[in-house]
């Protein structure tokens, strides 16, 4: 299951990186378009209404003349409230030799398409890298606690599915335990790392489990589940 989790993380990173590359290519295309585009004066002739189950959007329909012919385009940036009025003028940009391929000269029409995959790609990359950093820090902390931490015996209170994560319809399990810290007379709660099978039948006798804690900060801990069988790969 760790292999599958790592594979999903790698796929998320690759997809995010690919989306960023795609967005970068579209941004460069937009820059080239702006550097070479011809201009024409357009007039809003209609407002096209688009309804969906979640929202309503208005798109301007703009008519302009270029290359000796009249052309009509629909703005790409729909808004819940009309951003244009019928009869309003706006500048249209079009590539040389292609007067029919016009775009309105505004942020939404020029940059919206690159921003969507670029934003999604950035989110995927950041989430994947964030998860990787968290796992590495957790692994480093666990290794440190195993070598320098104080081992205590905590009472197992529950073995429960972790419903915050699911892969292929399967929830991992966590062992929950508690320990009375005599130095402050406080009950401390612990949770094990995720276990991708039901560990109930493999719990240690006596209802207690080893936990390694940082004596200076017991909130940093590692529940010892090294006695558990390993998942087959």
């Amino acid at each position: 299951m760790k292999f599958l989790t790592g594979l999903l993380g790698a796929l998320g990173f690759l997809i995010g990186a690919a989306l960023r590359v795609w967005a970068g290519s579209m941004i460069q295309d937009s820059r080239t378009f702006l550097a070479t585009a011809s201009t024409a004066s357009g007039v809003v002739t209609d407002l096209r209404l688009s309804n969906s189950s979640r929202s309503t959007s208005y798109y301007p329909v703009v008519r302009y003349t270029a290359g000796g012919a009249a052309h009509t385009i629909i703005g790409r940036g729909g808004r819940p409230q009309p951003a244009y009025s019928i009869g309003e003028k706006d500048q249209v940009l079009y590539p040389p030799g292609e007067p029919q391929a016009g775009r309105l000269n505004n942020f939404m029409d020029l940059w919206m398409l690159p921003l969507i995959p670029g934003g999604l790609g950035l989110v995927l990359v950041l989430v994947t890298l964030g998860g990787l950093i968290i796992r590495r820090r957790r692994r480093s902390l666990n290794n440190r606690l195993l070598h320098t931490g104080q081992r205590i015996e905590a009472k197992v209170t529950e073995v429960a599915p972790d419903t915050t994560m699911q892969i292929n319809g399967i929830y991992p399990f966590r062992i929950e335990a508690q320990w009375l810290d005599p130095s402050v007379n406080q009950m401390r709660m612990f949770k094990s790392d995720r276990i991708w099978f039901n560990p109930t039948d493999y719990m240690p006798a006596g209802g207690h489990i080893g936990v390694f804690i940082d004596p200076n900060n017991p909130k940093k801990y590692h529940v010892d589940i090294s006695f558990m069988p390993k998942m087959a790969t």
Side-chain angles (χ1 to χ4, degrees):
M1 194 59 69
K2 287 184 179 181
F3 171 78
L4 180 59
T5 304
L7 179 61
L8 290 175
L11 286 175
F13 180 84
L14 291 175
I15 292 172
L19 287 172
R20 294 285 293 170
V21 171
W22 183 27
S25 176
M26 287 193 289
I27 288 173
Q28 184 57 45
D29 288 344
S30 292
R31 287 175 175 170
T32 301
F33 172 79
L34 286 172
T36 60
S38 300
T39 62
S41 178
V43 177
V44 178
T45 60
D46 195 9
L47 296 173
R48 179 164 295 185
L49 179 62
S50 175
N51 287 312
S52 68
S53 59
R54 295 183 177 180
S55 64
T56 298
S57 298
Y58 291 88
Y59 295 84
V61 178
V62 178
R63 184 177 179 85
Y64 63 99
T65 300
H71 306 278
T72 300
I73 58 172
I74 300 175
R76 297 178 178 179
R79 299 184 182 181
Q81 298 295 327
Y84 292 87
S85 301
I86 294 177
E88 184 176 346
K89 294 184 178 181
D90 199 3
Q91 188 179 61
V92 177
L93 304 177
Y94 61 90
E98 299 180 68
Q100 75 284 357
R103 303 185 206 173
L104 295 179
N105 187 12
N106 61 47
F107 181 84
M108 294 291 286
D109 281 59
L110 294 173
W111 303 107
M112 181 178 68
L113 286 180
L115 286 178
I116 292 174
L120 289 175
L122 179 61
V123 170
L124 280 173
V125 169
L126 291 178
V127 168
T128 304
L129 289 178
L132 178 62
I133 291 171
I134 290 172
R135 287 194 297 273
R136 286 190 173 181
R137 285 184 175 178
R138 183 65 186 175
R139 191 179 301 118
S140 175
L141 174 63
N142 290 347
N143 289 334
R144 179 175 67 82
L145 291 173
L146 285 171
H147 288 89
T148 64
Q150 174 188 350
R151 180 184 173 93
I152 55 98
E153 293 294 320
K155 183 178 180 179
V156 175
T157 57
E158 188 176 14
V159 177
D162 181 358
T163 57
T164 63
M165 185 176 188
Q166 180 183 11
I167 297 180
N168 293 332
I170 300 174
Y171 293 109
F173 287 80
R174 287 184 186 268
I175 300 170
E176 299 182 11
Q178 64 183 26
W179 169 68
L180 180 62
D181 186 345
S183 64
V184 290
N185 195 33
Q186 291 180 349
M187 193 68 72
R188 299 196 181 277
M189 314 302 292
F190 308 104
K191 284 187 178 182
S192 71
D193 291 338
R194 294 183 177 96
I195 305 170
W196 289 96
F197 58 89
N198 191 333
T200 302
D201 294 337
Y202 307 98
M203 296 298 296
H208 287 74
I209 192 168
V211 179
F212 291 88
I213 64 171
D214 183 338
N216 299 317
N217 184 5
K219 291 182 179 180
K220 295 181 178 180
Y221 66 87
H222 171 62
V223 178
D224 183 14
I225 56 173
S226 59
F227 58 88
M228 286 284 170
K230 307 301 181 185
M231 281 285 293
T233 57

